Amino acid sequence: MKLASMQQGRDGRLVVVSRDLSRAVPADGIAPTLQAALDYWAETEPALQALYQQLNQGNGTDSFPFEQAACASPLPRAYQWADGSAYVNHVELVRKARGAEMPASFWTDPLMYQGMSDGFIGPRDDIRLAEESWGIDFEGEIAVITDDVPMGTPAERAGSHIKLLMLVNDVSLRNLIPNELAKGFGFFQSKPASSFSPVAITPDELGDAWQDTRVHHRLRVHLNDELFGEPDAGTDMTFNFAQLIAHVSFSRALCAGTIIGSGTVSNTDRSTGSCCLAERRMLEIIAQGKASTPFMRFGDRVRIEMLDAQGQSLFGAIEQKVVKYEAL
């Protein structure tokens, strides 16, 4: 099943989207918003699935052409957004570039931070930031949305709480990160609003590509229309989504609509490219002693998308331009 939120009010208007992303139908009679559907998922999911089947069979009488540009993020705001760093080879690379040893615990205990969740950027909206000097970067990731997760849920049971998946652009301000981390209290100013794909999908839409709560497809990232990277999201994911959920729920219960991110998708095979500028810059530092790839400038554009085995877009595409923020 594929779901989207059309831009309307603060929380969007829930629609069911056809498998080929060509048409959509309102879900008003089932749930007005995605959060409302997730709050009562056991009741709403069968009705949404039935509407999805009708739409794919051409029986959606109220259907209309689906426009990705008219979408908000599937959850325009969420109760919780926790982002991990499940691709530990990416972390190791960043630390190696600055000559720092990586603690052994990073391979056994996931990194996680709690990000801004009270308002996400739409998948086709501009990224508005005040200064290029902040070191503007994109990060191509995958995220899951859960239902209610009890505190202390172990990894072997956590996978059953994954209800939907999305793509992510976790916007990062790289030049603000060092001073924040030096305080020993984590990210804040260096992590502005993130964005998510136009469509959220249920795991069954992935077929055999959904194994061990990992997505086994390539994540394609383009910068200014040039392919920047296409690593396989399942190959080098040290911690799967079940393990990330278990980590987040260790000492707290998670409410329905919690979003948990994978961190930057990365492969040890460097020929697949990168999903963020920081990784390419670290590779340049290791190879040449300095970085030559600049961070994003005003006017730069990023596109993040995942295709299935037949070359069809699974989630729609995040397409965004960085523009200068002008205070009102």
Side-chain angles (χ1 to χ4, degrees):
M1 177 169 59
K2 300 192 176 188
L3 303 173
S5 294
M6 309 310 293
Q7 294 178 0
Q8 180 175 304
R10 286 193 170 189
D11 296 301
R13 183 191 188 193
L14 180 63
V15 298
V16 176
V17 183
S18 62
R19 181 169 284 115
D20 64 1
L21 306 183
S22 66
R23 300 195 67 77
V25 62
D28 297 348
I30 302 168
T33 66
L34 180 54
Q35 183 62 54
L38 289 161
D39 285 340
Y40 301 97
W41 191 250
E43 293 79 26
T44 60
E45 191 268 343
L48 291 169
Q49 285 282 9
L51 192 58
Y52 182 60
Q53 295 304 321
Q54 292 172 14
L55 179 62
N56 286 323
Q57 293 165 6
N59 298 325
T61 55
D62 297 329
S63 70
F64 57 89
F66 178 60
E67 297 291 341
Q68 296 182 37
C71 289
S73 282
L75 283 171
R77 54 179 176 170
Y79 290 115
Q80 182 161 224
W81 156 231
D83 197 16
S85 194
Y87 298 86
V88 179
N89 62 281
H90 170 76
V91 181
E92 185 177 42
L93 180 66
V94 172
R95 292 180 70 89
K96 180 180 179 181
R98 67 172 189 261
E101 292 293 326
M102 193 172 76
S105 63
F106 281 24
W107 292 99
T108 57
D109 192 32
L111 295 172
M112 188 73 63
Y113 82 92
Q114 197 162 21
M116 173 182 171
S117 65
D118 56 340
F120 298 122
I121 309 170
R124 301 296 175 90
D125 291 347
D126 291 338
I127 301 168
R128 298 183 179 275
L129 295 166
E131 301 290 342
E132 288 182 342
S133 63
W134 289 347
I136 304 165
D137 200 356
F138 53 84
E139 290 191 65
E141 306 183 11
I142 301 168
V144 298
I145 304 176
T146 74
D147 61 3
D148 292 305
V149 182
M151 183 169 63
T153 296
E156 54 266 25
R157 293 207 299 270
S160 65
H161 293 286
I162 297 171
K163 301 307 172 187
L164 295 165
L165 296 103
M166 306 181 289
L167 304 182
V168 190
N169 180 15
D170 178 39
V171 180
S172 295
L173 306 178
R174 300 294 187 182
N175 292 339
L176 302 186
I177 288 176
N179 286 342
E180 287 207 298
L181 293 185
K183 296 177 181 179
F185 217 56
F187 303 117
F188 196 85
Q189 292 180 338
S190 55
K191 289 289 188 176
S194 299
S195 58
F196 297 86
S197 51
V199 171
I201 71 174
T202 48
D204 61 295
E205 289 292 324
L206 294 168
D208 292 340
W210 179 245
Q211 297 179 26
D212 193 27
T213 66
R214 293 178 173 90
V215 179
H216 293 269
H217 278 307
R218 293 189 178 278
L219 186 61
R220 295 172 57 85
V221 177
H222 286 78
L223 178 61
N224 296 328
D225 298 324
E226 292 187 7
L227 183 64
F228 192 84
E230 51 178 353
D232 187 282
T235 301
D236 295 305
M237 190 180 190
T238 307
F239 303 103
N240 63 23
F241 280 111
Q243 292 169 308
L244 295 179
I245 293 169
H247 180 83
V248 176
S249 66
F250 176 79
S251 59
R252 65 177 76 179
L254 311 180
C255 73
T258 292
I259 305 173
I260 298 176
S262 66
T264 307
V265 175
S266 178
N267 285 168
T268 56
D269 177 3
R270 302 305 177 194
S271 68
T272 64
S274 301
C275 283
C276 70
L277 290 163
E279 182 172 288
R280 177 175 286 187
R281 286 168 59 88
M282 294 307 103
L283 288 167
E284 291 168 349
I285 290 171
I286 292 168
Q288 304 157 17
K290 64 178 182 178
S292 56
T293 298
F295 289 119
M296 297 184 82
R297 300 187 174 101
F298 298 139
D300 284 345
R301 292 167 289 107
V302 62
R303 178 185 174 95
I304 300 171
E305 190 173 24
M306 181 174 283
L307 308 180
D308 65 15
Q310 288 72 47
Q312 298 298 309
S313 184
L314 284 161
F315 300 87
I318 298 171
E319 291 187 27
Q320 298 177 300
K321 181 170 68 172
V322 177
V323 301
K324 185 173 178 59
Y325 171 73
E326 300 290 352
L328 299 176

PDB file of all heavy atoms in Angstrom, residues 42 59 68 90 224:
ATOM      1  N   ALA A  42      -4.832  -0.745  13.484  1.00  0.00           N
ATOM      2  CA  ALA A  42      -5.483  -2.057  13.387  1.00  0.00           C
ATOM      3  C   ALA A  42      -6.859  -1.943  12.726  1.00  0.00           C
ATOM      4  O   ALA A  42      -7.300  -2.872  12.029  1.00  0.00           O
ATOM      5  CB  ALA A  42      -5.624  -2.689  14.774  1.00  0.00           C
ATOM      6  N   ASN A  59     -10.945   1.053 -10.088  1.00  0.00           N
ATOM      7  CA  ASN A  59     -12.293   1.247  -9.570  1.00  0.00           C
ATOM      8  C   ASN A  59     -12.399   2.403  -8.585  1.00  0.00           C
ATOM      9  O   ASN A  59     -13.395   2.519  -7.873  1.00  0.00           O
ATOM     10  CB  ASN A  59     -12.777  -0.040  -8.882  1.00  0.00           C
ATOM     11  CG  ASN A  59     -12.844  -1.210  -9.841  1.00  0.00           C
ATOM     12  OD1 ASN A  59     -13.169  -1.028 -11.015  1.00  0.00           O
ATOM     13  ND2 ASN A  59     -12.514  -2.397  -9.358  1.00  0.00           N
ATOM     14  N   GLN A  68       3.173  14.724  -7.285  1.00  0.00           N
ATOM     15  CA  GLN A  68       4.126  14.711  -6.180  1.00  0.00           C
ATOM     16  C   GLN A  68       4.433  16.114  -5.673  1.00  0.00           C
ATOM     17  O   GLN A  68       4.688  16.311  -4.480  1.00  0.00           O
ATOM     18  CB  GLN A  68       5.415  14.003  -6.611  1.00  0.00           C
ATOM     19  CG  GLN A  68       5.217  12.532  -6.946  1.00  0.00           C
ATOM     20  CD  GLN A  68       6.511  11.838  -7.317  1.00  0.00           C
ATOM     21  OE1 GLN A  68       7.559  12.117  -6.742  1.00  0.00           O
ATOM     22  NE2 GLN A  68       6.445  10.923  -8.288  1.00  0.00           N
ATOM     23  N   HIS A  90      30.359   4.239   7.345  1.00  0.00           N
ATOM     24  CA  HIS A  90      30.303   5.683   7.084  1.00  0.00           C
ATOM     25  C   HIS A  90      30.890   6.460   8.266  1.00  0.00           C
ATOM     26  O   HIS A  90      31.680   7.382   8.090  1.00  0.00           O
ATOM     27  CB  HIS A  90      28.856   6.106   6.839  1.00  0.00           C
ATOM     28  CG  HIS A  90      28.641   7.584   6.795  1.00  0.00           C
ATOM     29  ND1 HIS A  90      28.991   8.363   5.720  1.00  0.00           N
ATOM     30  CD2 HIS A  90      28.107   8.434   7.714  1.00  0.00           C
ATOM     31  CE1 HIS A  90      28.697   9.620   5.978  1.00  0.00           C
ATOM     32  NE2 HIS A  90      28.159   9.694   7.181  1.00  0.00           N
ATOM     33  N   ASN A 224      22.447  18.406  -8.766  1.00  0.00           N
ATOM     34  CA  ASN A 224      22.425  19.224  -9.990  1.00  0.00           C
ATOM     35  C   ASN A 224      22.386  18.352 -11.243  1.00  0.00           C
ATOM     36  O   ASN A 224      23.144  18.544 -12.198  1.00  0.00           O
ATOM     37  CB  ASN A 224      23.620  20.179 -10.019  1.00  0.00           C
ATOM     38  CG  ASN A 224      23.574  21.188  -8.887  1.00  0.00           C
ATOM     39  OD1 ASN A 224      22.500  21.593  -8.445  1.00  0.00           O
ATOM     40  ND2 ASN A 224      24.744  21.567  -8.391  1.00  0.00           N
TER      41      ASN A 224
END
